[in-house]
Amino acid sequence: MNGRLLLLPFLALLLVACDQRSSNDPPTYGVAGTVTSAIGVAVDSDANDPGAPLETNDIPSVAQQLPNPALVGGFVSRSAIGHGRFADQGDRTDVYQATLASGQAITLFISDHDPADPYAVDLDLEIYDTADINIDTRPVAYSISATSGTERVRVPKSGNYYIFVRSIRGASNYLLSIGQPATMTAKEEPPFVPGEIVVRFRETNAPMRAAAAPELFAASTGLVHERGAPGQPILFTLGNAAQLRAASANDESATERLKQETIEMVRALRKHPDVETADLNYIRRPTAIPDDEHYPLQWNLPLINLPQAWEVTTMPNGDARQVIVAVVDTGVFLAHPDLGPNLLDTGYDFISNPSIAGDGDGIDSNPDDPGDSATPGGSSFHGTHVAGIIGALTNNGTGVSGTTWGTGTRIMPVRVLGRGGGTTYDIIQGIRYAAGLSNDSGTVPPQRADIINLSLGGPGFSMTEQAEYNAVREAGVIVVAAAGNENSNLPSYPAAYDGVISVSAVTPNRQRAPYSNFGPTVDVAAPGGNTAADGDGDGYPDGVLSTLADDTSATRKPVYSFAQGTSMATPHVAGVAAIMKALDPTLDPDRFTTLLETGKLTVDLGAPGKDELFGYGLIDALKAVENIDISLPPVLAIDQAGPLDFGPFIEQLIFTARNAGGGEFTLIEASDDADWLQVDPPSIAGNTGTFTATVDRSRLVDGLYRATISLSTDTAASLSIPVTLQVGQIHEKGNTGHLYLILVEPATMKTVRTTQAENVNGSYRYRFDGVPSGHYYVVAGSDLDDDGEICDPGEACGGYPTIERLQAIDVQGETAGIDFGTNFNIVLQALNEAETGTARRGFSRITDD
Amino acid sequence: MTDKRLTVLLLLTLLAALAPLSAAPAGGGMPAVELLDSGVQCTPANDQPEAVLIDDRQRLQRFASRLRGTILSPSSPRLPAIDFERQRVLYISAGKRPTAGYSLTLDEPPFTLDRETAVLHLRLNTPPPERMVAAVVTHPCILVQIPAQGYSAIEIRGLGQVLELPSR
C-alpha cells in the first residue's frame, strides 16, 4: 500500500465536512461576462502593476508598437516608489513606435498632475525619427513644460517615429493620445514672476491678526509686502534682495534658484493657518486667433507672439486713432479684396521715368501696381505682399491675417519701384511725401504716415540720402528697412543709415535665414521665411504667406503667395510699431529705439544683447504691447493655447476663461456652431468662468470635424475658440491591459469580490465564484500605478452597463452575460478635480474582508 | 550593299540634315523655338541654375506648375499643345537671386547648332546696379519650346555658367 491510498479516508472526511458547512451557509453563485476593450486603445507594457504581463519598453530597441490613431494608458516613475514592479527602481522612460502623419498631434495627459502643486510631477514628451536615432540625436519635436498637466507635440513630417514618455520628476499614470491632425500650438510652461507670490488671507474674526496686517505677516515669514490690502489679493516678494537683483539682471542660474525658492515658499504658505490661497504670480498670455482661412499657414505671426498682442489690440473701446504705415514699394494692387478697406486713397506714384513706371506716365496720384515686368507672370507685385503682412483684412473669414489686426492701421501705398527697381531720387520723394514733407508732387497727404516700411535696398551710401532719412525721423516717422538678402555683412541702404531700423530675417525655427544679411547695422530680426524648406510639414514652403497679384493672364488676379526675404521680415517690425503707436499715440522714433535697445521689444537671439545676426533679437509683439504704458480695459482670454482638441476619443473638455486685462466683466454667453457640440453654461467665480464642452459622436461618420465656440461678455471683446473632433476609422482591436474586475456593494461602495482577466483579441472573459445573492455593481479597470485602486486617472475603466451610469445586478442564481466595455476616458480629470472638487479617484481592487 | 557602305550613306544623310541648322539659327521647317512661359517666384529644386529637358506632357505639367509654385492654390497652368514627336520643352531656372528685378528671356538668336550640340542662348536680365530693388528672394525660370531632333546634346548659355544636357 502506498502513501496516496492512506490519504483517501482523510480526503473523504474533509469533503463531507465541507458539504456540511456549505449546507449551513447562504447559497452562492457565479457571475460571468465579457469585457470588451475600446478599439484603438493600448496599454504600457511595463506598468507598475506586478500582476500585469511585463515587456520592457525602456529603450528604442524594445519600443512598443502602437497603432495610429491610438490612446495609450501608461505609467512612469523617476525613481523607486516602494511598491509594485518598480518598488526598488524607477521606470523613467516608456518608448513607443508608430507611423505618424504630418500634422498629427501627440498629446500626453499627465494623470497625477496637481494644479495646486504643479511641480510635484513632471513628465515630458519627445518624438524621434526612427531612421536617425543615436546617443546624440535631438528630438524632432518635444514638449517639456515643467508645470503643465499636458504635453503636446505636432508631427513635423510623415514617417516612423519613436515616442518617448519620460518622468522628470515624480511618478504618474499617463494617457498618450495619438492621431489628432488638428493644428496645435505648443504649450509653454506657464511663466511666473520669480520672487513674487500672491496671497489671499482667510476671513477672520480677529481683525488684528495677519489678515489685517500684511506687514506683520511679511515680517513673520521673511517676505516683503509689495501691494494690496486685506480683502484683496496681496502681492509679496521674497526677502532675498540680492537674488532678486541677480534675477532681474538676466542671470539664468539666479533666476532658476529664485523660481525654486518661490515655489517652495508658496507650498509653505499654503499650510499657514491665516492663508486662504497662495499662488505664483503667473504671467498670463491670452490669445486671440483670427478666423482667416489661411491663418494656420502663417507660422510667422505666432512666432512673434502676435495672437497674445492681438488680445489687447482687438479689445473693444480701444483707441480708435488711425495709424498709418506707408509702404514705399512697387505700389499695391489696389483691387485685392483682402486689402481694399485698409488701403488709404492718399497714396502716390513717384516713379518719374515712364519706362521704369510701366504705366505710361511719370509721377501721378495713382499708386496702383501695374507690375514691374513687361512679361506676363514676370512681375513681383512686391508691394502688395508687403502691404498684406502689415494690413491684410483680418478675422474676415478669408485670406490671410495681417499683423495690425484691431488697431485701425491703414496702408498708404507709395510707388517708387518699377521695372528693374527704382532710383534713390524717386524713393526720397516717396518718403518725403509719406512723412508730410515737401516733394515733387506739390502736395502732401492729409495725414502723414507714422511708420514707413522700406522693403528695398541697394549698396550705395549717400550723404544726401542720410540727410533725408534724418529729416523724416525728425518729423516723427519711424522708418524700418530691409537688411538685404545677399548673405553678406556689407551694408545695404537705406537700412544701414543712421536712424533707420534695419531688419534681418529668421526662419520658422528662429535661425538666421540663409540669405539674410548681417553685420553691425542690423537692429532687429523678424520672420523672413525659407521657401526651400517645409519644416512644419504642412505641405507648403516655409515662406511668409501674404497677398499678391497674378498677371499670368491678361488681367491681374488677387492671389496669396509665399515669399522669402528681409522684405518680408521688415513689415513685421513695421506692424509691431503700428500696434504700439495705436496703443500709445505719443510713441516716437526715439522712444521706439530706446525700447528696442533695452530689450523691451525683442526676444534675444544669438549672443546676449545686440549681435550682428539678429540685432537686439527677434521682434516680439507681446513684449512690445506689455512695454507700452497703457491702461488696459477688460480682456477676455482662455488659458488653452490652440484649439480645443477632442481627438478621436475625448468626450468632454473643461476650459477656463478669465479677465486678462483690467477692470471687470461678467461672462454672459457661450455659443457654438455645431450640432455635435454642446457648451454648458459656465460656473462663474469673479472674473473667471469655467466651461464644460461635450461632444456627441453618435451621429457622425468618420472624419475630422471643426467648430467654433464663441464667448462674449458685457464689456470685453468676444473670443472665438476653435474646436476639433475626430471620428476615427479604426481597425485595430483594443487592449486596455491587465484588468481587475470587482463587485461593489452599492450601499457602501465597498469592494466585496475581485478577480482578474487578461486581454484576448480585444476582450476579457471573467467569472466571479461564490457570490452571495444580492445587488452588486460590476466594475473593471487597470491599476497601472499599483496603488490598489482601479479607474484612477490614466487607468482603464469600465462598468456595467457603463461606468457613467452603473446599474446594480441582482444575483439570485447563476448570472451570466454581464458584458460591458472599458476605455481610457479622457476628461481632464486633474483640472476637473481642481475646478470642481468632484472627481472620484477610483475603486479599490482589494476586498475589505 | 555592304555594311560599310550603309554606314557611310547614313552619315551623309545625317550631315545633310544637320547642315542647314549648323549654318543658321533654327527655323524654317523646324519647330519654332519659343518662350512658352516665365516666372520669377518659381519653386526651386535648389538654389543653383538648372535645366530639365521635358519630353512628355506629364512632366510638362509638373514643371509648368513650378512657375507659380509659391502661389497658394494656383489655377492649373494652361499648357500649350506640344507635339513631343517633333518638339521638346526646356525648363530652365536661373537659381536663387537676392532681389526682384531678375528675369530670363531668349537672346538673339535664341537657338543655334554647334556640330551636334544645340545651343540655347538666354539672357539673364539683372537690375541696373544703380537702382534700388525690392529685397525679396526670387527664382526666375522659363519654359522654352525647342526642336526634338537634330542634335545629341544641349547647351544653355547666358546664366553665368553653361548648363549641359543630353538630348534625351
Side-chain angles (χ1 to χ4, degrees), chain A residues 40-41 67-71 104 178-180 648-649 726 728-730 732:
Chain A
V41 300
N68 181 2
L71 182 64
Q104 283 192 302
I178 299 173
Q180 294 132 61
F649 305 107
Q726 183 179 338
Q729 192 175 34
I730 306 164
E732 299 283 339

Side-chain angles (χ1 to χ4, degrees), chain A residues 250 500-504 506 519-526 573 592-620 623:
Chain A
N250 292 327
V500 175
I501 308 297
S502 173
V503 186
S504 67
V506 298
T521 60
V522 168
D523 294 306
V524 63
V573 177
F592 183 86
T593 301
T594 300
L595 289 168
L596 181 63
E597 292 177 353
T598 53
K600 299 289 186 0
L601 308 182
T602 54
V603 172
D604 196 10
L605 296 180
K610 189 181 183 192
D611 61 68
E612 296 197 351
L613 301 183
F614 309 102
Y616 292 100
L618 176 64
I619 193 75
D620 187 290
K623 287 187 76 173

Side-chain angles (χ1 to χ4, degrees), chain A residues 321-470:
Chain A
R321 181 185 180 278
Q322 180 173 267
V323 176
I324 297 177
V325 181
V327 173
V328 180
D329 212 290
T330 61
V332 171
F333 176 37
L334 302 179
H336 201 295
D338 214 14
L339 288 173
N342 281 351
L343 298 175
L344 291 174
D345 60 4
T346 57
Y348 215 90
D349 176 1
F350 281 97
I351 303 179
S352 54
N353 183 335
S355 67
I356 297 176
D359 60 356
D361 57 23
I363 72 171
D364 59 60
S365 60
N366 180 8
D368 192 31
D369 185 353
D372 53 8
S373 170
T375 306
S379 292
S380 70
F381 292 105
H382 181 262
T384 305
H385 201 275
V386 170
I389 295 169
I390 298 168
L393 290 177
T394 302
N395 209 37
N396 60 339
T398 187
V400 293
S401 306
T403 54
T404 57
W405 180 25
T407 60
T409 296
R410 298 290 180 268
I411 304 294
M412 179 193 292
V414 178
R415 186 165 183 251
V416 296
L417 300 180
R419 294 176 182 175
T423 66
T424 56
Y425 182 85
D426 290 349
I427 293 168
I428 288 172
Q429 295 305 310
I431 62 168
R432 287 187 64 85
Y433 173 85
L437 303 174
S438 62
N439 60 83
D440 285 355
S441 73
T443 184
V444 292
Q447 182 182 330
R448 70 158 171 80
D450 300 291
I451 296 134
I452 292 176
N453 187 98
L454 290 157
S455 289
L456 52 81
F461 172 84
S462 152
M463 288 296 292
T464 303
E465 272 188 289
Q466 176 67 74
E468 293 298 333
Y469 284 100
N470 290 345

Side-chain angles (χ1 to χ4, degrees), chain A residues 459-800:
Chain A
F461 172 84
S462 152
M463 288 296 292
T464 303
E465 272 188 289
Q466 176 67 74
E468 293 298 333
Y469 284 100
N470 290 345
V472 168
R473 185 180 171 105
E474 285 164 12
V477 181
I478 298 167
V479 183
V480 189
N485 301 332
E486 287 77 24
N487 184 25
S488 155
N489 63 356
L490 294 175
S492 176
Y493 299 94
Y497 284 125
D498 286 345
V500 175
I501 308 297
S502 173
V503 186
S504 67
V506 298
T507 62
N509 58 2
R510 303 184 184 198
Q511 302 294 310
R512 181 180 70 93
Y515 52 79
S516 179
N517 283 358
F518 49 93
T521 60
V522 168
D523 294 306
V524 63
N530 181 11
T531 56
D534 179 17
D536 57 4
D538 62 3
Y540 294 95
D542 291 343
V544 174
L545 183 64
S546 185
T547 47
L548 205 77
D550 180 7
D551 68 345
T552 308
S553 58
T555 57
R556 294 170 298 171
K557 292 179 179 173
V559 293
Y560 300 90
S561 182
F562 296 93
Q564 62 175 343
T566 50
S567 274
M568 284 63 247
T570 304
H572 288 83
V573 177
V576 170
I579 289 173
M580 296 168 67
K581 185 78 176 178
L583 296 173
D584 181 2
T586 68
L587 180 73
D588 60 19
D590 287 346
R591 194 146 68 87
F592 183 86
T593 301
T594 300
L595 289 168
L596 181 63
E597 292 177 353
T598 53
K600 299 289 186 0
L601 308 182
T602 54
V603 172
D604 196 10
L605 296 180
K610 189 181 183 192
D611 61 68
E612 296 197 351
L613 301 183
F614 309 102
Y616 292 100
L618 176 64
I619 193 75
D620 187 290
L622 178 60
K623 287 187 76 173
V625 166
E626 288 175 342
N627 285 292
I628 284 289
D629 186 18
I630 53 172
S631 177
L632 294 178
V635 174
L636 180 60
I638 64 167
D639 289 342
Q640 166 98 10
L644 280 182
D645 189 353
F646 287 86
F649 305 107
I650 303 170
E651 294 178 353
Q652 193 176 79
L653 287 172
I654 296 170
F655 61 93
T656 300
R658 56 171 51 86
N659 183 4
E664 292 185 349
F665 62 74
T666 304
L667 295 175
I668 55 175
E669 188 179 345
S671 60
D672 64 74
D673 57 2
D675 56 5
W676 45 264
L677 175 66
Q678 178 183 329
V679 183
D680 292 340
S683 59
I684 299 175
N687 270 347
T688 300
T690 300
F691 297 81
T692 301
T694 307
V695 294
D696 176 9
R697 293 183 177 80
S698 61
R699 289 172 289 117
L700 301 178
V701 297
D702 288 356
L704 183 66
Y705 295 81
R706 300 179 193 278
T708 301
I709 295 173
S710 300
L711 305 182
S712 58
T713 73
D714 53 345
T715 56
S718 62
L719 182 62
S720 295
I721 306 168
V723 178
T724 57
L725 170 73
Q726 183 179 338
V727 180
Q729 192 175 34
I730 306 164
H731 304 291
E732 299 283 339
K733 289 185 175 173
N735 178 7
T736 42
H738 179 77
L739 290 188
Y740 294 90
L741 291 108
I742 60 174
L743 294 183
V744 177
E745 196 173 73
T748 62
M749 294 302 287
K750 286 184 176 177
T751 300
V752 296
R753 286 288 187 281
T754 71
T755 187
Q756 303 178 37
E758 297 295 344
N759 174 68
V760 178
N761 292 327
S763 62
Y764 305 74
R765 299 187 70 178
Y766 72 91
R767 178 178 175 85
F768 295 96
D769 287 315
V771 180
S773 60
H775 291 83
Y776 303 95
Y777 291 140
V778 184
V779 176
S782 58
D783 184 17
L784 300 180
D785 56 3
D786 187 51
D787 67 350
E789 288 201 333
I790 61 172
C791 295
D792 280 344
E795 293 175 346
C797 194
Y800 178 80

